[in-house]
Amino acid sequence: MGSNSSRIGDLPKNEYLKKLSGTESVSENDPFWNQLLSFSFPAPTSSTELKLLEEATVSVCRSLVVNNPRTGNLGALIKVFLSRTKELKLSAECQNHIFIWQTHNALFIICCLLKVFICEMSEEELQLHFTYEEKSPGSYSSDAEDLLEELLCCLMQLITDIPLLDITYEISVEAVSTMVVFLSCQLFHKEVLRQSISHKYLMRGRCLPYTSKLVKTLLYNFIRQEKPPPPGAHVLPQQSDGGGLLYGLASGVATGLWTVFTLGGVGSKAAATPELSSPLANQSLLLLLVLANLTDAADTPNPYRQAIMSFKNTQDSSPFPSSIPHAFQINFNSLYTALCEQQTSDQATLLLYTLLHQNSNVRTYMLARTDMENLVLPILEILYHVEERNSHHVYMALIILLILTEDDGFNRSIHEVILKNITWYSERVLTEISLGSLLILVVIRTIQYNMTRTRDKYLHTNCLAALANMSAQFRSLHQYAAQRIISLFSLLSKKHNKVLEQATQSLRGSLSSNDVPLPDYAQDLNVIEEVIRMMLEIINSCLTNSLHHNPNLVYALLYKRDLFEQFRTHPSFQDIMQNIDLVITFFSSRLLQAGAELSVERVLEIIKQGAVALPKDRLKKFPELKFKYVEEEQPEEFFIPYVWSLVYNSAVGLYWNPQDIQLFTMDSD
């Protein structure tokens, strides 16, 4: 780097990089650092060019790995950066472009070096590289032992304290990215790390007091979605400094050199990711998710998760209990708006899940909103376009719906919100439909997709649990939603008959051949009967609790009454069929009395009249259907790989060599 580098291809021959990684020690006061940090070259514009950047500098990094124990140049570079950050806030206020530019360049080099060091060595070995001090082989002094912790603290201060201006945007992005890189040792382990040096520094000691401030700043970065300054906005005139140094601040920093494009995760299909409008917001969100999912220490709970679990609305004037550490306040209205607008990304959906599941203040606030459609519609779109989403994004969206449907107020209010012209729903033109009916349609479509494609029992269970939670509060169901409920039951019924026939044939075949292993049709039959029972319970819950509010469901039930005949005497369904059979018989009798060839309007009118006349005490009461989302016993086994797959595939960050990654043993399709 330095003044002689204008292209990535020149980096391996760059004299300043050679000196940094060579056998000569460079004092932190040496003018060399000003020369090294005065670089500018065309920014990479593709993942291929980012890969070239790593390939061009990897020899320099490896040379430093070998020589640093004798030279201590890594520590000197970090000390140069640390000394400059002490004046960074003043430089921002004074619009000192050159100082901020060089400080940013120092951090960028540190980040690139750290990435290679972390990839090639253990944390213990890395820590030693932070303690190497002066000239003689292996010598170090005690005052250097906390250099790693000092750098982490400095990054946290930089993120939280430096005002976000056009001239500081890039260094803010780089500070967040460097913290992600610090924690990226997880990428190079197949198992979830439960003890880590970087975790130790972040959870205790000098970094701990910054916990709430860091979490709050990262959240506000996500909320504000600040765009990077326009390319060329900070290009300084080239100047000569006797040594021929070029002070040409690289344009388009945030969308260029330190931008990684979608690479496609290991074990996942590569997908095109749209260009992000706010690299800082995206990186901040990824760092927040990484911090929130750090495993607890043996004697210390994760303070970042504690902060996320406990923060309150700025309008909440009640005092924080003394037992809650790392508490802070944030504007919930702004947070809600940002979450509604950003649900197209996995990471925003994961943040929404985290807040709804872990922060009761956020959950209470969201459930009290009168514009829940702004949040629910993006979640429904994720489920609707299931073919285009990875399975984990769909899973998170579905769990969010399950958490929301645990609240009866939510289940009532969604049927009062009337939507016009849902353009993304293509199966049928929906000119007017309630949010509740649309939710039912999308969840049923997800079940049907799962039945034909993924066949994930857990996905079925959660879809049906959300419908079950809503069922007692079904109101004024759209005729198409009512039809789809019965159509799903029809599909399940056909599947049941098919599996039953296969089981019967298999049993007959077993009588003639005892040597051939038989498919486990009994297990398949048991699973499909569990799902059918659940559907019958959902229909029954609606009929017993809100029959008079749902003439369209009764109409659909009567229209397909023959479907239910085979289940009337089935031992697994006899009890739950009593009410459904009673309703079918009661309304069929009234329609028969009204005569033949009735119009749809006339049938609905008879159903509405009959709903008032039907004695409610004749309907047998069953326990209320209520399902709560329960996180698995070791959620980190799922969430930590998921979060790091999002980091790896992010459109902002650093290129990681796929061959080096060990974490992604899961299939993120």
Side-chain angles (χ1 to χ4, degrees):
M1 296 185 177
S3 62
N4 292 341
S5 286
S6 59
R7 294 179 304 164
I8 290 177
D10 296 332
L11 294 178
K13 300 174 288 186
N14 183 275
E15 59 181 288
Y16 300 103
L17 289 179
K18 284 183 176 181
K19 185 172 181 178
L20 172 68
S21 60
T23 57
E24 177 189 349
S25 293
V26 184
S27 166
E28 60 197 85
N29 300 315
D30 197 300
F32 160 80
W33 298 109
N34 279 335
Q35 297 167 332
L36 173 70
L37 302 179
S38 301
F39 65 82
S40 173
F41 50 82
T45 57
S46 68
S47 59
T48 302
E49 291 179 358
L50 283 157
K51 183 179 180 181
L52 289 175
L53 174 62
E54 173 165 302
E55 290 174 347
T57 55
V58 71
S59 60
V60 172
C61 295
R62 286 174 177 165
S63 178
L64 185 63
V65 169
V66 173
N67 294 321
N68 188 63
R70 291 184 293 277
T71 66
N73 285 346
L74 175 63
L77 171 61
I78 291 170
K79 288 178 180 178
V80 168
F81 169 72
L82 292 174
S83 66
R84 284 172 170 268
T85 56
K86 294 173 183 176
E87 302 175 46
L88 203 56
K89 193 170 184 179
L90 180 61
S91 298
E93 293 171 357
C94 298
Q95 297 284 302
N96 190 335
H97 290 245
I98 293 175
F99 187 88
I100 294 172
W101 165 49
Q102 288 190 330
T103 307
H104 170 274
N105 286 351
L107 182 55
F108 176 69
I109 295 174
I110 291 169
C111 191
C112 291
L113 292 173
L114 277 175
K115 186 172 68 66
V116 175
F117 273 54
I118 288 171
C119 174
E120 299 208 348
M121 64 185 66
S122 68
E123 278 194 300
E124 290 74 15
E125 292 173 301
L126 176 65
Q127 192 175 34
L128 286 176
H129 277 273
F130 275 79
T131 62
Y132 294 132
E133 191 54 48
E134 297 284 343
K135 290 75 175 175
S136 58
S139 65
Y140 62 93
S141 59
S142 59
D143 62 350
E145 290 178 357
D146 291 327
L147 191 59
L148 178 57
E149 183 177 28
E150 191 173 347
L151 178 57
L152 273 172
C153 285
C154 177
L155 292 173
M156 296 173 86
Q157 287 176 318
L158 198 159
I159 293 167
T160 57
D161 294 345
I162 300 302
L164 188 58
L165 309 169
D166 277 0
I167 59 173
T168 61
Y169 189 94
E170 290 84 6
I171 196 170
S172 296
V173 173
E174 202 60 47
V176 175
S177 297
T178 306
M179 282 202 68
V180 173
V181 169
F182 254 120
L183 294 162
S184 67
C185 54
Q186 176 65 81
L187 281 168
F188 308 101
H189 291 79
K190 290 182 180 179
E191 70 286 350
V192 170
L193 290 181
R194 301 185 183 280
Q195 290 185 332
S196 165
I197 292 171
S198 55
H199 294 190
K200 179 189 73 175
Y201 281 129
L202 287 169
M203 291 191 187
R204 55 174 67 93
R206 294 168 57 191
C207 291
L208 190 60
Y210 293 98
T211 296
S212 58
K213 197 171 183 181
L214 179 62
V215 171
K216 183 176 182 177
T217 301
L218 295 175
L219 276 172
Y220 268 127
N221 285 347
F222 167 71
I223 289 169
R224 289 168 180 151
Q225 294 289 318
E226 290 283 353
K227 293 179 172 57
H234 309 130
V235 176
L236 301 177
Q238 296 182 359
Q239 302 175 15
S240 177
D241 189 8
L245 302 183
L246 285 177
Y247 291 98
L249 184 59
S251 63
V253 170
T255 54
L257 178 58
W258 13 128
T259 300
V260 76
F261 292 78
T262 302
L263 307 174
V266 177
S268 71
K269 60 185 177 186
T273 300
E275 183 178 343
L276 293 169
S277 61
S278 178
L280 178 60
N282 186 72
Q283 285 295 82
S284 296
L285 177 52
L286 290 172
L287 176 57
L288 183 65
L289 293 172
V290 168
L291 292 171
N293 286 281
L294 295 178
T295 53
D296 294 334
D299 56 345
T300 310
N302 180 345
Y304 303 94
R305 188 182 302 125
Q306 287 183 317
I308 287 171
M309 290 172 64
S310 59
F311 70 82
K312 299 194 305 184
N313 194 354
T314 48
Q315 296 181 354
D316 186 346
S317 57
S318 61
F320 283 103
S322 57
S323 59
I324 298 180
H326 316 298
F328 63 91
Q329 290 179 295
I330 203 167
N331 187 307
F332 276 17
N333 184 59
S334 300
L335 177 61
Y336 180 80
T337 301
L339 286 167
C340 292
E341 293 174 349
Q342 300 300 320
Q343 288 306 305
T344 51
S345 75
D346 278 72
Q347 47 265 41
T349 304
L350 182 53
L351 175 64
L352 174 58
Y353 159 80
T354 302
L355 295 178
L356 277 173
H357 178 50
Q358 298 186 358
N359 190 313
S360 59
N361 301 319
V362 172
R363 183 169 61 252
T364 300
Y365 174 85
M366 288 187 177
L367 289 169
R369 294 283 302 205
T370 57
D371 59 348
M372 277 298 290
E373 67 273 16
N374 291 336
L375 186 69
V376 175
L377 281 173
I379 298 300
L380 295 183
E381 275 200 73
I382 294 168
L383 293 175
Y384 185 79
H385 296 111
V386 59
E387 301 93 339
E388 303 167 19
R389 304 290 181 184
N390 71 66
S391 59
H392 303 308
H393 198 184
V394 172
Y395 173 81
M396 286 295 104
L398 185 56
I399 296 303
I400 287 168
L401 288 185
L402 180 55
I403 292 172
L404 293 174
T405 60
E406 291 172 13
D407 183 76
D408 285 340
F410 171 83
N411 295 330
R412 284 191 296 271
S413 64
I414 55 175
H415 293 287
E416 297 167 2
V417 177
I418 304 302
L419 308 168
K420 307 279 188 180
N421 299 316
I422 308 301
T423 54
W424 49 262
Y425 194 96
S426 59
E427 275 90 341
R428 178 166 172 155
V429 176
L430 299 175
T431 55
E432 186 172 288
I433 189 171
S434 71
L435 179 60
S437 289
L438 181 64
L439 195 159
I440 292 166
L441 285 175
V442 173
V443 171
I444 287 175
R445 185 179 183 274
T446 306
I447 294 173
Q448 292 179 320
Y449 175 84
N450 186 49
M451 286 177 66
T452 57
R453 304 285 184 87
T454 56
R455 300 182 181 180
D456 180 349
K457 182 185 176 183
Y458 197 62
L459 193 67
H460 266 340
T461 302
N462 283 287
C463 284
L464 291 168
L467 290 177
N469 285 346
M470 296 168 59
S471 59
Q473 307 292 336
F474 284 171
R475 293 290 187 276
S476 304
L477 289 184
H478 191 280
Q479 60 180 16
Y480 186 52
Q483 289 170 19
R484 298 309 294 162
I485 291 172
I486 305 303
S487 294
L488 176 58
F489 185 81
S490 175
L491 186 65
L492 292 168
S493 176
K494 290 175 183 176
K495 191 171 182 66
H496 178 267
N497 292 339
K498 182 179 178 180
V499 174
L500 188 60
E501 183 181 348
Q502 289 172 333
T504 304
Q505 291 176 352
S506 175
L507 186 61
R508 288 172 184 161
S510 68
L511 298 176
S512 58
S513 175
N514 294 323
D515 300 329
V516 180
L518 299 174
D520 192 359
Y521 289 115
Q523 184 177 353
D524 291 346
L525 196 62
N526 183 56
V527 170
I528 192 68
E529 286 186 354
E530 283 181 13
V531 176
I532 287 174
R533 168 113 192 155
M534 191 83 159
M535 280 301 299
L536 288 171
E537 288 179 341
I538 289 168
I539 294 169
N540 178 72
S541 175
C542 177
L543 295 178
T544 54
N545 290 285
S546 54
L547 182 146
H548 57 293
H549 289 298
N550 293 290
N552 284 325
L553 181 62
V554 177
Y555 183 99
L557 198 64
L558 294 172
Y559 190 73
K560 292 284 188 178
R561 69 191 82 176
D562 294 344
L563 283 174
F564 300 88
E565 283 292 330
Q566 62 179 305
F567 300 108
R568 292 175 64 186
T569 56
H570 194 292
S572 299
F573 311 117
Q574 268 185 316
D575 60 334
I576 204 72
M577 276 298 301
Q578 289 180 29
N579 287 341
I580 296 173
D581 193 36
L582 187 152
V583 169
I584 290 174
T585 303
F586 177 83
F587 284 98
S588 295
S589 173
R590 293 183 74 91
L591 290 175
L592 192 62
Q593 293 172 14
E597 298 184 7
L598 300 173
S599 67
V600 173
E601 291 75 15
R602 178 59 182 147
V603 172
L604 286 171
E605 185 182 339
I606 293 169
I607 290 172
K608 290 175 184 177
Q609 293 170 352
V612 177
L614 176 66
K616 301 298 184 293
D617 56 358
R618 291 180 59 187
L619 295 173
K620 181 181 176 182
K621 286 291 183 183
F622 286 86
E624 184 182 7
L625 292 178
K626 271 298 171 188
F627 294 87
K628 289 183 70 68
Y629 168 67
V630 179
E631 203 167 64
E632 295 179 13
E633 288 186 11
Q634 288 189 305
E636 61 271 14
E637 301 292 344
F638 169 83
F639 286 104
I640 290 176
Y642 180 32
V643 168
W644 279 105
S645 72
L646 297 181
V647 174
Y648 180 87
N649 287 295
S650 171
V652 181
L654 287 167
Y655 171 79
W656 274 284
N657 190 333
Q659 282 73 38
D660 297 329
I661 306 302
Q662 297 185 47
L663 177 67
F664 302 119
T665 55
M666 66 175 189
D667 179 5
S668 59
D669 270 356

